[in-house]
């Protein structure tokens, strides 16, 4: 049997039945990486010797009668997670040789669940791009078109999954870093509710791995099916034992519905600050049509929806207010001078980015208060709706663009250019209020590139968009391997 694009569920069933061993699955994955990754460059740090040893231990454990959720399953890990004995540099040359001595809490949970870690996947410099390239490990290519990006910052993980380099991966998401690569590569990803999944040890080099409560960022699962995504979230979910006092199983509410026809879904494909490209709009419509055909309640407008323009501006300000935390004083003063020169009537996202970079603490508190009002609006919305379907970004994967000044980059939407970072507004729709969002495949562009959408759900009801993703996969299909 070919295992390259099998699911974790299929692998687990075959392992339990004695039809395959973890050693065989691991050797198969390693052989594929060694054969094909020269064109993709997804797995930037290989740990094959330890992976083979872990696979042998998994086989021995199974022979003793053990059966853990991921026992013997080969996986990858985003480079930004600390893995004891492997470099963690976030693509930053000054930290090329930094090697942590302790696993991140999520790496520990993977290993405790029995997973076999093959290695680490590529990221952009400092995790600060919608692409995945850096001066240490080079550029990761999209498996569907090597001239295009797989996305970022979890682009290496998405490219690895789409290439058959392991069956699961873990990444992180601040500005769509799980969902955008999934959309660009035709796989699945889930941005959990803010605070649901402990992130200790997913930190820049030399930063202490202590429990924190990130303002916007989360860590989460990536997979090739919705059911595998839910399986991996179950392994990852739960508080940090250093803050909760004990490690315990977190009980999430069940999905609101088990049948497509029972779902109430609000569908969005228009944003006031940026157009939606035709290929992505077609993907949204394909999902909407499937829901209608299944008998679900589907609408395109709701008075309960928070103002999308205000939400995008608020998200942009909060996102970029944290991006300058470690800037030198001189650079910060230059930003203050530029921000002071903005016109009072300049409400562009470029202006929001610049204003956010020089936020005072009072500015941030006011923005946070407005965020709470948006959260309240979302709570009201989810009394009438179960999920929101919308784009992840306005376009499919775009060509590599390594202009060192991101402000000079542009994103092409059906022949019209827009500022590069404006494409983040759809990802920010779920990130700013901390809502769960599941990215799913939704077809192909006319050029044959993957197109995805995201399913946004109610806070701490992650199982609702995950179940909707599973039902839609059964209806319209899901991941397809690139040729």
């Amino acid at each position: 049997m070919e295992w390259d694009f099998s699911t974790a569920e299929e692998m687990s069933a075959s392992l339990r039945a004695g039809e395959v061993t973890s050693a065989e699955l691991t050797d198969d994955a390693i052989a594929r990486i060694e054969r094909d990754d020269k064109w993709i460059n997804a797995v930037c740090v290989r740990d094959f010797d330890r992976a083979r040893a872990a696979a042998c231990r998994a086989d021995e454990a199974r022979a003793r009668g053990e059966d853990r959720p991921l026992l013997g399953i080969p996986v990858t890990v985003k480079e930004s997670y600390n893995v004891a004995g492997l470099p963690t540099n976030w693509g930053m040359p000054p930290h090329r040789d930094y090697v942590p001595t302790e696993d991140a809490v999520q790496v520990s949970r993977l290993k405790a669940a029995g997973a076999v870690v093959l290695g680490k996947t590529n990221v952009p410099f400092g995790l600060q791009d919608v692409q995945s390239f850096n001066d240490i490990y080079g550029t990761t290519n999209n498996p569907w078109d090597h001239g295009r990006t797989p996305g970022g910052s979890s682009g290496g993980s998405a490219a690895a999954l789409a290439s058959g380099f392991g069956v699961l991966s873990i990444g992180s998401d601040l500005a769509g870093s799980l969902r955008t690569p999934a959309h660009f590569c035709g796989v699945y990803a889930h941005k959990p509710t803010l605070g649901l999944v402990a992130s200790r040890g997913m930190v820049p080099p030399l930063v202490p791995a202590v429990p924190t409560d990130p303002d916007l960022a989360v860590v989460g699962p990536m997979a090739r099916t919705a059911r595998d995504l839910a399986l991996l979230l179950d392994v990852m979910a739960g508080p940090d034992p250093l803050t909760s006092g004990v490690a315990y199983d977190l009980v999430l509410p069940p999905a609101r519905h088990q049948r497509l026809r029972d779902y109430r879904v609000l569908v969005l494909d228009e944003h006031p600050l940026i157009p939606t490209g035709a290929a992505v709009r077609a993907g949204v419509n394909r999902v909407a049509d499937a829901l209608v055909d299944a008998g679900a309640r589907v609408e395109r407008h709701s008075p309960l929806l928070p103002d999308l323009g205000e939400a995008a501006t608020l998200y942009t300000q909060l996102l970029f207010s944290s991006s300058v935390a470690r800037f030198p004083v001189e650079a910060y003063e230059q930003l203050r001078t530029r921000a002071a020169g903005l016109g009072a009537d300049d409400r562009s996202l470029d202006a929001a980015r610049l204003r956010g970079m020089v936020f005072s603490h009072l500015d941030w508190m006011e923005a946070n208060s407005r965020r709470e009002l948006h959260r309240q609006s979302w709570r009201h919305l989810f009394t009438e709706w179960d999920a929101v379907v919308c784009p992840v970004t306005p376009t499919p994967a775009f060509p590599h663009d390594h202009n060192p000044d991101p402000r000079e980059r542009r994103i092409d939407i059906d022949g019209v250019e827009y500022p590069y970072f404006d494409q983040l507004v759809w990802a920010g729709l779920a990130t700013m209020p901390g809502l769960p969002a599941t990215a799913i495949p939704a077809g192909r562009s006319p050029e044959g590139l993957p197109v995805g959408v995201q399913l946004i759900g109610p806070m701490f009801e992650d199982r609702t968009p995950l179940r909707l993703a599973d039902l839609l996969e059964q209806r319209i299909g899901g991941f397809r391997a690139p040729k």
Side-chain angles (χ1 to χ4, degrees):
M1 178 177 177
E2 291 288 335
W3 298 103
D4 296 337
F5 295 104
S6 298
T7 69
E9 283 190 316
E10 291 167 343
M11 288 183 179
S12 291
S14 294
L15 285 164
R16 292 187 187 104
E19 298 169 353
V20 71
T21 66
S22 177
E24 290 170 333
L25 291 176
T26 300
D27 282 341
D28 186 75
I30 289 172
R32 187 171 181 88
I33 293 170
E34 291 178 333
R35 186 187 74 214
D36 294 344
D37 200 30
K38 61 176 69 73
W39 291 289
I40 306 300
N41 192 33
V43 184
C44 60
V45 179
R46 300 179 179 185
D47 199 21
F48 294 163
D49 288 343
R50 292 199 300 183
R52 288 188 170 102
C56 289
R57 290 194 298 272
D59 289 331
E60 292 166 357
R62 193 171 293 280
R64 294 193 299 269
E66 294 185 28
D67 189 11
R68 286 172 267 159
L70 302 178
L71 186 59
I73 302 297
V75 307
T76 60
V77 172
K78 187 175 182 178
E79 196 277 343
S80 49
Y81 284 87
N82 285 348
V83 177
L86 298 182
T88 299
N89 53 54
W90 289 39
M92 298 185 288
H95 304 296
R96 178 189 299 268
D97 299 322
Y98 175 68
V99 178
T101 58
E102 184 179 10
D103 288 341
V105 64
Q106 293 303 334
V107 174
S108 295
R109 287 178 179 174
L110 281 179
K111 292 179 178 179
V116 174
V117 178
L118 299 167
K120 304 177 76 176
T121 57
N122 204 21
V123 297
F125 179 94
L127 311 192
Q128 294 180 340
D129 206 339
V130 192
Q131 305 174 71
S132 293
F133 68 93
N134 59 73
D135 288 340
I136 299 177
Y137 299 120
T139 299
T140 299
N141 298 319
N142 191 305
W144 291 86
D145 180 343
H146 298 175
R148 295 175 185 264
T149 180
S153 61
S154 306
S157 288
L161 287 169
S163 302
F165 305 158
V167 67
L168 302 169
S169 195
I170 58 174
S172 60
D173 194 310
L174 172 66
S177 289
L178 284 161
R179 293 162 287 161
T180 298
H183 157 49
F184 284 178
C185 292
V187 299
Y188 289 79
H190 182 71
K191 186 199 87 65
T193 296
L194 183 68
L196 174 63
V197 180
S199 61
R200 176 167 49 91
M202 215 294 296
V203 290
L206 305 181
V207 173
V210 297
T212 59
D213 294 314
D215 180 42
L216 296 166
V218 299
V219 298
M222 306 183 79
R224 289 192 292 266
T225 70
R227 288 175 63 87
D228 279 1
L229 204 59
L231 171 67
L232 184 50
L233 180 66
D234 285 345
V235 170
M236 299 179 73
D240 193 314
L242 294 186
T243 56
S244 66
V246 294
Y248 62 88
D249 292 330
L250 184 73
V251 179
L252 289 171
R256 290 187 175 186
H257 311 291
Q258 293 299 320
R259 301 177 301 183
L260 273 180
R261 66 173 178 264
D262 296 328
Y263 275 84
R264 305 164 298 169
V265 182
L266 181 63
V267 175
L268 308 175
D269 64 3
E270 295 182 355
H271 197 284
L273 299 184
I274 196 168
T276 302
V280 170
R281 190 184 301 273
V284 173
N285 288 336
R286 183 169 186 241
V287 170
D289 291 345
L291 289 165
V292 171
D293 291 345
R297 177 189 169 196
V298 176
E299 298 289 347
R300 296 280 183 160
H301 303 280
S302 171
L304 299 178
L305 183 69
D307 182 276
L308 297 186
E310 182 183 45
T313 298
L314 185 55
Y315 165 69
T316 299
Q317 291 173 332
L318 289 168
L319 174 65
F320 281 84
S321 70
S322 64
S323 69
V324 298
R326 296 181 177 87
F327 271 30
V329 173
E330 299 80 6
Y332 183 73
E333 289 304 321
Q334 290 174 5
L335 291 172
R336 285 173 58 89
T337 300
R338 287 175 51 206
L342 291 171
D345 59 346
D346 188 346
R347 298 300 171 191
S348 67
L349 289 174
D350 270 340
R353 283 186 278 273
L354 187 52
R355 291 190 179 107
M357 287 180 181
V358 296
F359 258 15
S360 67
H361 183 60
L362 177 60
D363 293 331
W364 188 92
M365 291 293 290
E366 291 177 349
N368 189 51
S369 294
R370 298 204 311 277
R371 168 167 47 189
E372 290 302 330
L373 294 176
H374 276 257
R375 283 178 172 153
Q376 181 67 0
S377 295
W378 281 105
R379 281 191 284 269
H380 288 155
L381 181 141
F382 284 120
T383 62
E384 182 171 337
W385 304 100
D386 301 310
V388 173
V389 174
C390 64
V392 178
T393 73
T395 70
F398 54 86
H400 296 297
D401 183 352
H402 296 178
N403 188 318
D405 186 352
R407 294 173 301 175
E408 296 179 357
R409 299 180 194 166
R410 292 293 180 268
I411 185 74
D412 183 305
I413 305 177
D414 293 344
V416 180
E417 292 187 344
Y418 294 84
Y420 182 73
F421 285 120
D422 284 11
Q423 65 184 298
L424 303 182
V425 295
W426 282 116
L429 189 61
T431 300
M432 186 268 289
L435 300 172
T438 306
I440 69 170
R444 298 288 177 270
S445 74
E447 296 80 18
L449 298 170
V451 171
V453 302
Q454 60 179 330
L455 317 175
I456 301 175
M459 184 169 277
F460 288 107
E461 293 190 52
D462 295 56
R463 296 200 192 282
T464 291
L466 284 167
R467 176 58 177 161
L468 181 57
D470 180 26
L471 293 169
L472 284 167
E473 183 178 1
Q474 297 173 39
R475 189 87 180 185
I476 65 173
F479 170 77
R480 284 195 347 228
K483 295 180 180 178

